[in-house]
Structure formats: structure tokens, C-alpha cells
Amino acid sequence: SPESQRFVLVCVRFINTNGFVAVVEPPGEREYLGKMPAGFRMIAALLGDLDNSDGRGKVFFRQESSPDVLRRAHEHIKKAFPRDDSVEPPSVLIITWANMAAQGTSGRGDGLDAKRNTFQLVLASTDLSSYAILLYPRGGLQFLSTSVDGESKLLEAGFNEGLVKGWFRTTQGTYFRITTDEETSIKELTEYESSTNSGQRGVWVYEIGTSWLFAGITPGMVSSLPEEESTTEPPVTMLPTQTEDYQYVDFSTYETQTTMTTETTTEEFPTETQTEYQTEAQTVTPGYTGPETEEPEYEEPGQYPESETVTPTYSSPERVQPRYLDQPEPRYPEETATRYPISEPPQPRYTVPELTEPRYSPVQPIFAYNLETCAHNRHKCSAFADCRDYSNGYCCHCRPGFYGNGKDCVAEGKPQRMNGKVNGRVFVGNSPSPIELSNNDLHSYVVANDGRAYVAISNIPNSVGPSLQPLSSLGGVIGWAFALEQPGYQNGFSLIGGVFSRQAEVIFQPGNERLSIKQEFKGIDEHDHLVVSTELDGRLPAIPLGSSVQINPYKEIYQYDRNLITSSSNRDYTITSPDGTVQTRSYQWRQTITFQSCPHNEATGVAPSTQQLSVDQIFVMFDADNHLIRYAMSNKIGSVHSILPEQNPCFTGRHGCDINAMCRPGEGLQFTCECAAGFTGDGRYCHDIDECRENPRVCGSNAVCTNLPGTFRCECLNGFVFASDGRTCIEENRPVDHCQRGSHDCDAPERALCSYTGGSAYVCSCLPGYEGDGRVCRDIDECQQDRCHRDAFCSNTQGSYTCQCRPGFNGDGFQCKREKTQCERQRESAQASGSGSGFFSFFRPRPAVGQYVPQCDEHGAYEPTQCHASIGQCWCVDANGQEIPNTRTGSGNTPLCINQVVTPPPVGPTPRPDVHPVTPGTHLLFAQSGKIEHVPLDGYKMKKEEAKPLLHIPDRVVIAVAYDCVEKMVYWTDITGPAISKASLSGGDIIPVVTKGTLQSPEGIAIDHVSRLLFWTDSMRDTIEVSKLDGSQRRVLFDTDLVNPRPIVTNPAYGRLFWADWNRDGPKIEMSNMDGTERTVLVKDDLGLPNGLTFDPDNQQLCWADAGTRKVECMDPHRQLRRQIVDGIQYPFSLVSFGKNLYYTDWRREAVVAVDRLSEKEMEEFLPQKRSRLYGITTTPSQCPQAYNYCSNNGGCSHLCLPRLGGFTCRCPDAADGRCEERNL
């Protein structure tokens, strides 16, 4: 009957983000997740705790009656049920769960958030029965389980009847499971080798009985198709999957009407996140409203999707026959008598627009998206790439000045870094036990304009480290990726970008040991570093500890095909044992590199089919003391033919271009140097361009721009998120728990409470001890309310108060009882001594006749005038009752006595100096007598109107200031203590660092934020000292050839230390390693009073301000090229560098002065409100400069680990115990 055609479509009233549809409104997810069968009717397409709260996951549904879609649904049913040839559904309901993540993985950044599942459910009805078509991705599901109450639960698929009411009791109905409790059953939903019930991989078809109850479920009868049919049957294209990571976003729940119409509509239903840790799945009610003309845009679900096709073949029937139930006769309830029941719906929260174009392209196979255009995918290209549309899709292309595959682009000529982890099991020699490698750090650095690559792997045990020395290519793949390109040839990154897989096999001779190397390259991260994970498995020939290995230069031929690169080579190496024995060995190297190229542009990535990688200048070393394996090599990519080598310096790498520059070849041996994108200069010297300052609108509205070396980063303001293009910041228009996010306007949490009330609403209330509207809370002065006892002192504190009994009283401050004073005790003693033993003397003691009894006031203190009636004299006493000489008078004369009792001071906490928290961003900090002030920077401009004190330190003279960018702490020296102290920028108390010992006049201070070290100069002791950041383990580095040392700075990347000595008879600027070695004089000519000193790590420039020559100058300490910035300044004291600007304090101008280092001009000055001498100055950068930490884990040293150029040294503090060990590494 016509009524039966619609029973499924009518009954499916709720679609849930957890991968199922239901006949009735489902309960909370705790009632069914991990507890199937559930108590309600449902069809589980892929049930689990799924998450779409980051905005990438989507749920679509639509009713479709187009001939093409109906024909394809008919073909699926016909293949699964060959005898049901007459099945012709008049319409179908299509539900799609796209890019769904496992709950709790979104935004984690550990790889789990990249795993996404996409699947579909199609419901079709005929005159006699209905059918469910389940479609899963051909490439396999990316995750098979989700976490439910802390336990991993497999995903489930099946049909659940729910609770069935009988005459006498209610029982659990049928639960027809497609999957089992075995993980393989989930995988087999998509595997081609496993028989499906439709003859097509990833397609499962079931007939649902004619009852409105799920009492009869019949699976498809065909596991594969006959061979003759497979030759003519068109292939089936599955929906592609998506694995990219997007920003975490909260979504609200929308509900529409509960009736269906014939409108062709597709809708999106996100979920609402309740709390940060617990997200309840949301259920939506499908329904439709009046037509509109605009179609909403949705994200395209795949990245470079290539439709995977399968030619169906015939095979035996499915191996497991499910349990079938007796199918009852058709029963049609009265409520389905009308074909489309219409009821008056409630007003929906939003309307669903009518589609002017079908959501699914009619020329595509059934249920596939057609959004492969730049309009929907531009955000998937690199920020330095353009997106181009082609006939079959889109491709990304790096812009001029950049190279890569379009998805990853880096600036030409810019040095590149690689970071990652190494794991695996390696056997050494004949050892039966493997060496386990677990998350060992791998760091690599390559100078792109000369092809030189450096690799280091840390925490390598001595048992395997020597044997790893021959494997220079373990990290040398970055050498191939960024090899120096010869004319007409391209390195690996130019061709395939930074996302690829590498598998290599090494066979060592003569022992035939084998080692497998698997590496996954995951692209460029937010720090512009290539990220890699490495897995080792196999056996290495043993090399004795202390042996050195020399690897001969070699050539390796790379063969290129679409999405595949292979290479092989034989490599010889020489082992020199500690005893001088020399052995020559070799190994065979074979590797395969797989990647995903853009299939839509045939011209993309065209390269010679074969290229030759030439590797020479190979250096390998195992540092047993530091457990480090190091490799270095030079790499060139070029022709496989024996031709004369290029002599142009651009192709030999022997040019003088800056490390941030590209070498451009000219005629013969001529060439030019061109700064890489994001840098400017003459090519020999390049400095960073501040894109945020040059183009303040580069990030658009509602965004903050942060400058980085060679590039910049955009971040959306609070309340805004990135749109689908990944660049535009749009306002969040969904419910947000502002209390949890911290985006509310309540007062600080120590004064107010933010209470979430649902939706985006919240209320603010003041905490006990405060009053106000919750947005502004003021402390209540409880001491004005007489909370304490009358004989107690009240001390008000923020949000509270304390009560303390006055001296002479006992109690808790709320109840105080006075103690007997000295006067009262003496009075009682005098009275008791004169009392008899009679009955009445017990109640009223009396003194003996003629005995002196002291007089006490109401508080128990001695009356200032004491009299003895028996002798007729009076005298004055002090606070202790002692007679004051020459005050005694005779009878009738009373002396004029002054009260000697002093009122005690109030008891309670006294104010102490602390830090007032500052807003995020870069600030200038400078010292001025007893305080430290801060001035925010807007780019390079000082925001003078927002300047204010950061820290008040009364009665102290602060000289030098420094900033630790890791813990966001400010350090300073004062010469009145003397002391070195610190405090947090986020607020809090002052923390002493160095207060004891021989400290006399600390005038300069510097921090190594990488190795966590503190350096300072002492102008009284004429020393330079070092300690850990907490002030422990002090050691004097230098105490000779110093007269007036003052400024001191560090270069953590190179382990260098610089300081200036303003000795009027011989001023100089010196340099050494941080361990005190290689001390040398950098500058001694044309100096007067070098007061200020600073180092710019981005441009490797050392600059100083001289109060004698009245100049500011800079030099490259490596090449010792010196240049003047400005002259004619007055009396500089301290200097700091930030980007292209230098900022110095001036004693005579009593100001902070800004100088543009590039234009060599003074830009502006800041005059503090209180005019006095200014001392030290520093900046608070928002990010720390990147540098390799040679002293990671303290370098294995027992006490001090002090970096030096290329390594570190273990040193003992001056007050070391007997367990300290010094080592030169």
C-alpha cells in the first residue's frame, strides 16, 4: 500500500551526531554508549562517541527523488538482492556523517585529532519493504574505537529494536549486529578482500521487514559479482576522507520541525559542547521550512581526493551467516495512513534555504560531494601559495620567491630546520637483547643556499651509539629535501613538499645484518620546522665504543614517478678502533619515498625521471659523554651523467651570501645575492622584515599580527575564529561557556565568581569579602564593622580581615581576655602578704599596716604617680613601676608625672612590594631609582600613554634588568642590598635570587633562557660570575684583567658571552664561551665609556652605546664588521635591541630613546612622569628565540652545565662538595 512506502522515512525522526538515527528521541549518551543493546529503536551506521565540535565534522541529510540517484540506489539493492529486480524506490533519505573525530581528540595536536571517519546511511522504501544502504570509505576507517568512561570501546553498526512491551512485561527486543566484538569486524566494513553482502567493497545493504518494528533484518545475498558483469558495470566511487587539523570550535544545537516535506534540502547539524571534558552528543529532528534562494557553503570533505574504483568480481557467499528472525506479516499502523502527515510545526530556530543547485552533483557517482574547487579549499594551500582551479579539481602552487608543493612552501634561500622523535628496537652485533629507543629527540639544520646539513640525535645509549655512526642518511634525508640544486634539477622539497613517507632497508656487509628505517614526514609546523617521526627495527654490526667512522663521498640515483621515488646506493665506510685498527666495510642502501601529488595538473612537479644526489664532506661522531650522535654532510642534486661540474659559486656553495639569502647565478662566475622572502638587505647582509608594521592590515580585522623571522602569524581576537578559508576572523555566533573560556567580563577570579547559566549566558557575583555587581568588586573593610573584640586589633586584607588580641590579652581576636599585668600581680602580692588566715581574710585580702601597695589604672598599667599613705609621700614611676629619681615629694605635694607607657603599634600584616600584572605583548622594562616601569610597544612605537610602574622597591637602587622569556620573569640587580632578585610579570611577590656571599656591586645581568643560566658583573670585586637561574651553584668565570665591568649579554644559540669594561685607561668589549674558554677582546679601539651592550640573535649583531664617544655602534662578532648607527648622543647608560630598533636610557635626557638601526636615525623618546636618572633596560618578547639546547637534562653534568660553541662543559661551583666532576666535552 502507499502507506508502507513511507514508514521508514516517517519513523526516522532523530539524527544523532554519534552515528545513528532513531525512531524516538534518544536518551543521554551515557544510556547507550558501550551499553548496547539500547532501550530505543535505532539504526547504527557507525555508533561511537563521536565529535564534531571543532567545526570540521558535519552531519548532512536530504530527501532525494532525482532519477539518477534513485537509479543508483536501485543498482545497489539489485546487486545485494538479485531476485528483487523490481525494487524501484520512489525516493531515498540520505544521511552523511563527514569528518567525524573521536571524542576527546580534537585539538590535541598529537596526531589523533587528524583521524576522521566519513560514512553514509541511505534509506529507501518500496511498496513492500524498506532498505538500508550503508557506505564506508574505500581507504579504510581512520579510527576503530572511541573512549567511553575512560575505556576504549569498538565502534558498532547494526539495527536495534529497543524495549518491546508485552502483555505482562517489557523485554529487550532484537539487536541485529553487523559488527562483532572483534576489531577485525570493523576493518572488514571497508576491506575488499573480505566479502560484503553487496558485492562491492565498503557497501552493505539490508532489507528491513515490512513491520514498523525492527523484527526482520535480511542482509544482502551477494558477496561479489560475476566476472562477466564486472566488465560492464561502472566502478563505484566512495566519499573521500579528510585528515587535516582545524581549530577547535564549539557548536550550538539547532532543532527544526518534526515533519518531512518534498523539499530537496541538505542541512548541517553541529553539536553543543557542555563542558571541556564531557560532551554530550546532540540529536536533531529533521524537518524543513519555507524556501529561500541562497545556498549555504559547507566544507569540502577531502584533500586532493582521488576516487577509488573497484571492479566487482564474483566470489563465494559471505562466510558468516547472521541470525535471521521469522519475518512477521505486514502491519501498517493507522498513524501512517496518510502519505505525508502534516502537522502545525513549532516555529523553528532558523530556516533551511532551498537549494538552487543539487548538493550532490548528478554526474558524480551516488552520494559523492563535488566541492573540489579553490572556493572551498583555498585554506588548504600554504599561506605563501596560490590556488588554481583545473577541469577536475584544484592545485596549490608556491608563489615566486618560495618553493615546495603548494601545500608546504618555504622561502628560497632560507635555512631550514627539522625536528622529530626516534623510536624502535635495534640489536647490535650478536647480542640477543635489543636496545630500545623511545622518543629520542632528532634535530636537523640545513643551510639551503649551500646544501650543508647538520643532524643530531640525543639520549643515545653507549651500547648502540657507535654502531649508528655509518647511518648518516638516518637524518640526512633533509639533505636531499633541501639539497643545493644544479641547473635544471630540483631537490626533494621543491617536488613533493614536506608530507611524505620514507622506507629504507640497509644490508651491511660482510655480516648481512639488516636494518629497516621507516619515517613519516608531517609537513611544516607553526615554527617553520619540518616534523618527522622515525622508527628503527633490525640489527647493526657492532662498532666498539671510542671508534671513529669515516664515510666516503657517495652518489645516489633517485628515480621519480608520480607519487613514488626510489633510490639505491652502495656506501663504503672506514672504522678506526681505539687501538688503531682500521677496517673498511660497506652496506647496501635501498629506499622508497611515497607521497601524494596533485592529480589535476599534469605539469605540476615535472622533473627529470632520474636525478643524482652527490654527498661529500661527510662527518659523523658519537659523543659518548653527552650520548649524542652527530652527522654533517654537503648535498647537491643534479644530473646522473658525467659532465663538467658547475663552477659558478651558486652551484658550488662557495659564495658569501647571507644565510637568509638566495644565490642567483650570472654569466661565468658572476652571481648576485638576493635576500629570502621576509628579509631585506643587499644579500650579503639580510635582516627580517616586520610585516606586521609594514602592513598593519595584513591579518585583516579582528586579528592580531605577530612578527616572526622571515614571516608572521595571525591570531584571532577573543570572540573570533578563523573562517573556512583559514585566514579571515569571523565573530563566534554560537553558545560559548565564557566562564570556562575566560572570555567573560567578571572581575578577577580572586574577587568574583563567574557562573555559567546555559547558552552564552553567565552571571557575575562578588566573592565573600567583596561587594559590587560582580564585574567590579571592591574589598569590604570589615574593620569598619566592629567585627573584632574591643580589646583586639583589626587588620583588613583583600577579601578578608584578621583579628588579634592586643598585648596583654589572650584569645582569638573575636574574644579577648586581659592578662594580669605586672602592676596587678604586684598589687595582689602585696595584699596577700598582709592577709591573715582567718575566715574573712579569704574573701578580702588586706595589706599589712604600713605596707606599700602599687596603684594600677583601668588597663592594669602603673599609675604615673604612686603614693604611700602610711609615710605621706608620692613619686613618679616609669612604665615598669620603677621610681624616677628626684620626683619624691612630701605630704600634700603631688609631683607632675608624665605617663611613660607607650601605645603599642597595630598588629597585623604590613604592605609589601609586589608586581602589578601587565597585559600580553612586548614591553620595554627600565629601572628608575626604586622602581621598574614598563612601556608597551605597538610594533616598534612606544605607547607612552600606557606607561606605568611595574614594581616599586623603596629604598633600593636598581641598576640592571633582564627578562626570562620562558618563565616570564623579570630579574634585576640592586647595589644597596646588594642583591639579585626576580618577580613574575603575571603578578606576585619579589623572590630573592642572590643575597648572600661576596656580592658587592652587581651592575650587569644576563640570562641564557635555553640553558637556564644567570650571569652578572660585579664592579667592586671586578668579576664575572655565573649560576643557575635560582642563584645556586655560583662560579667566578673571570677575576683578572677587569677594572670596571658593567654590561653583559648572552648569545644562547652559539654559547657565547659578551661584556664591556669602561676602564677609562683602556676600555674594551670582550667575548668568551659561556664556560669561560676562548676569551678574546672584540673591540678596543675608538672606545670611551661603553655603558650599554645588547645582542640581536636574529641578525647576529652586537651593539653598544658609548657615553665617551657619544655613539651607538654595531658589529658582526663572527666577521667582525663594525658600523656606526648614530652619533652625537648625550649620556647613554643601557641598551636593548628589538627588531630593527635599538632603545637606550640616557642619564642627561632622563629618557628612553628609540633609534632605527636601518635608517640610522633617532625615532622617538619617552620621558617618564617622574624625572630622574634611568638605568637598565630590557624587552619582554612574546616568544623565545629558537636555539638548540646542548644542556638539555643538564647535559648529564653533576653541577653546572655551561654551553660553548658546538658543545658544553661540566663545571663545579666555587663552593662545590667533593662529589662534583668537571669534564671538557
Side-chain angles (χ1 to χ4, degrees), residues 854-1086:
Q855 295 93 56
C856 308
D857 65 13
E858 60 180 351
H859 300 294
Y862 288 98
E863 292 282 1
T865 302
Q866 296 287 322
C867 295
H868 191 177
S870 299
I871 63 175
Q873 293 182 352
C874 296
W875 59 92
C876 298
V877 296
D878 61 15
N880 296 319
Q882 299 297 316
E883 181 179 352
I884 299 175
N886 303 317
T887 61
R888 190 175 286 261
T889 63
S891 176
N893 295 318
T894 303
L896 184 62
C897 300
I898 300 174
N899 194 346
Q900 301 290 317
V901 178
V902 179
T903 302
V907 177
T910 57
R912 57 174 299 172
D914 61 357
V915 170
H916 303 282
V918 300
T919 58
T922 302
H923 299 253
L924 289 176
L925 303 181
F926 63 91
Q928 185 182 25
S929 186
K931 65 180 178 180
I932 298 176
E933 291 206 13
H934 73 91
V935 184
L937 291 180
D938 183 8
Y940 297 113
K941 184 177 179 61
M942 291 183 282
K943 301 170 73 172
K944 305 172 187 177
E945 67 281 0
E946 296 183 20
K948 61 181 64 175
L950 171 75
L951 181 68
H952 286 282
I953 316 172
D955 304 320
R956 299 286 180 179
V957 178
V958 179
I959 300 296
V961 290
Y963 180 69
D964 176 20
C965 57
V966 177
E967 296 182 346
K968 302 189 185 308
M969 304 285 288
V970 58
Y971 289 71
W972 67 90
T973 68
D974 76 79
I975 59 174
T976 51
I980 299 176
S981 308
K982 67 178 180 180
S984 172
L985 279 192
S986 61
D989 296 335
I990 295 174
I991 303 171
V993 178
V994 180
T995 58
K996 300 178 181 180
T998 55
L999 200 65
Q1000 292 185 21
S1001 183
E1003 294 185 9
I1005 187 173
I1007 288 174
D1008 179 356
H1009 70 277
V1010 178
S1011 300
R1012 318 304 292 153
L1013 296 173
L1014 181 69
F1015 299 86
W1016 68 89
T1017 60
D1018 194 318
S1019 62
M1020 293 290 290
R1021 299 181 61 216
D1022 296 333
T1023 58
I1024 294 175
E1025 289 191 58
V1026 63
S1027 74
K1028 292 196 171 183
L1029 268 186
D1030 60 2
S1032 65
Q1033 302 188 24
R1034 291 175 55 180
R1035 178 185 176 92
V1036 175
L1037 289 179
F1038 302 109
D1039 59 1
T1040 60
D1041 296 326
L1042 295 172
V1043 178
N1044 290 308
R1046 178 174 287 163
I1048 185 169
V1049 292
T1050 62
N1051 181 4
Y1054 287 79
R1056 292 291 199 180
L1057 195 63
F1058 306 91
W1059 68 91
D1061 188 333
W1062 57 272
N1063 175 19
R1064 292 184 180 272
D1065 296 328
K1068 59 184 175 180
I1069 299 175
E1070 296 187 79
M1071 173 183 72
S1072 76
N1073 288 326
M1074 290 184 181
D1075 64 356
T1077 60
E1078 298 182 16
R1079 178 181 179 181
T1080 182
V1081 176
L1082 277 180
V1083 185
K1084 63 180 179 179
D1085 298 324
D1086 299 322

Side-chain angles (χ1 to χ4, degrees), residues 495-543:
L495 292 172
I496 67 175
V499 179
F500 57 92
S501 299
R502 179 201 200 200
Q503 183 154 350
E505 183 179 21
V506 190
I507 303 176
F508 295 89
Q509 301 297 338
N512 205 37
E513 296 89 351
R514 294 173 180 264
L515 181 71
S516 172
I517 303 173
K518 295 180 181 179
Q519 292 181 302
E520 291 292 332
F521 293 82
K522 303 173 183 178
I524 303 295
D525 66 9
E526 65 273 16
H527 302 296
D528 281 340
H529 295 175
L530 185 60
V531 180
V532 61
S533 63
T534 302
E535 188 79 24
L536 303 180
D537 187 26
R539 187 176 295 274
L540 294 169
I543 296 178

Side-chain angles (χ1 to χ4, degrees), residues 64-136:
E64 179 63 73
S65 58
S66 65
D68 183 69
V69 173
L70 296 180
R71 177 182 59 82
R72 296 182 182 276
H74 166 72
E75 291 173 353
H76 280 303
I77 298 172
K78 178 182 175 182
K79 291 174 183 176
F81 299 95
R83 291 176 292 181
D84 294 348
D85 190 26
S86 61
V87 174
E88 295 182 358
S91 66
V92 295
L93 177 65
I94 305 170
I95 305 105
T96 305
W97 291 266
N99 296 327
M100 304 298 288
Q103 183 65 251
T105 62
S106 179
R108 282 171 40 164
D110 57 0
L112 291 178
D113 57 351
K115 296 183 180 297
R116 304 279 168 155
N117 282 342
T118 297
F119 51 95
Q120 287 178 311
L121 169 65
V122 182
L123 298 175
S125 294
T126 67
D127 291 339
L128 298 178
S129 61
S130 297
Y131 295 86
I133 305 171
L134 298 158
L135 299 105
Y136 302 99

